[in-house]
Amino acid sequence: MTVLAAVVALVGSLFFALGAALQQFEAVGTTKPGLLALLRRPRWLIGGASILVGGGLHIVALGLGPLTIVQPMGVASLLFALPIAAALHGRRPSSKELSAAGVVAAGLIGLVLLVPNSDGPTFLSPGGVLTLLGVSGVAAVLLWAGSRAASPAGRAALLATSAGVLYGATATLMRVLVDGTWNWWYLLALPVPALLALMMLQRAYAIGHFGVSFASLQIADPLTAVAFGALLLGEPLPTGILPIAAAALTAAGTVALARTTPLEARN
């Protein structure tokens, strides 16, 4: 079952990568990539469906095998996404791009494996929900504001990080809904960070540095979920030098991607 879980998770990563690349291809180069306009583009919708399939397969994989096997397979979406996006834009990814993506993936795998498991009850009060939304909202706004003065690659990274923070908040709410005591507050709050994250991510994709955007999203989402787990759910944080080294790898790989990934435009 462990091998099957790894295969299902890997296929899920492929679907997730394909969906992200398709959505970026539709969003890139648009001055205002609003959701209503993108919803009228069939390829963007296909990308969204592919992402949903990838997420569903990831959930199936978690039911088949241990987290330590499934989560690293999920990181492979970054390595799938770069060649797919490059092919859509009529080019081949450079060896420097793929090497930088590999560094990011290695760092992410390290971070994922070093996060301690928590088997305790998952509970979030209405006040905790407001704290979650407030903290993630302020962080997202600050990142968005910082992006306005950054270079194109930096702007893409900051906007995608903003989306990742909001997706991390969404993931925290989902965990509470699935694993904890159900509360209507959770269900009402769930669409808020999810929709804002989707809007921020399309703005990041519109700039054109897909590798930087996708890597930043892949980093910010799980790190935010881990931080909220510790802050609001009392879950343990990783300790020691290894998490710092893994974080340094992800940062170095993202900087390298920003220097090597070309600015893309629709053909």
Side-chain angles (χ1 to χ4, degrees), residues 6-231:
V7 171
V8 171
L10 202 59
V11 174
S13 294
L14 180 58
F15 273 97
F16 190 84
L18 175 62
L22 286 171
Q23 289 197 333
Q24 189 266 350
F25 184 77
E26 289 300 314
V28 68
T30 54
T31 54
K32 291 185 178 180
L35 290 182
L36 291 179
L38 291 171
L39 283 170
R40 292 193 289 268
R41 298 186 177 186
R43 190 154 34 192
W44 190 89
L45 292 173
I46 292 172
S50 183
I51 290 172
L52 289 177
V53 170
L57 287 173
H58 186 78
I59 293 172
V60 171
L62 286 172
L64 294 172
L67 188 69
T68 52
I69 296 297
V70 174
Q71 290 291 67
M73 296 298 104
V75 174
S77 58
L78 176 60
L79 300 178
F80 290 142
L82 283 181
I84 294 172
L88 287 172
H89 289 282
R91 67 177 184 86
R92 291 183 179 181
S94 68
S95 58
K96 289 183 178 180
E97 278 183 89
L98 295 177
S99 297
V103 171
V104 175
L108 276 172
I109 289 172
L111 287 172
V112 164
L113 293 178
L114 290 169
V115 173
N117 292 326
S118 177
D119 298 324
T122 304
F123 174 76
L124 196 60
S125 67
V129 173
L130 292 177
T131 300
L132 176 74
L133 295 178
V135 171
S136 60
V138 169
V141 168
L142 290 175
L143 289 163
W144 168 80
S147 73
R148 297 172 68 85
S151 65
R155 188 159 65 252
L158 288 171
L159 288 171
T161 301
S162 176
V165 168
L166 292 166
Y167 275 133
T170 305
T172 304
L173 285 171
M174 281 296 297
R175 282 192 53 220
V176 175
L177 272 170
V178 173
D179 299 333
T181 304
W182 193 89
N183 189 306
W184 64 271
W185 265 88
Y186 309 152
L187 198 58
L188 287 177
L190 190 62
V192 177
L195 287 175
L196 289 174
L198 187 59
M199 292 169 59
M200 285 288 188
L201 186 58
Q202 302 314 307
R203 289 183 177 274
Y205 284 165
I207 296 168
H209 288 277
F210 177 65
V212 180
S213 299
F214 198 65
S216 299
L217 175 69
Q218 291 281 88
I219 295 167
D221 184 351
L223 289 184
T224 301
V226 169
F228 278 133
L231 176 67

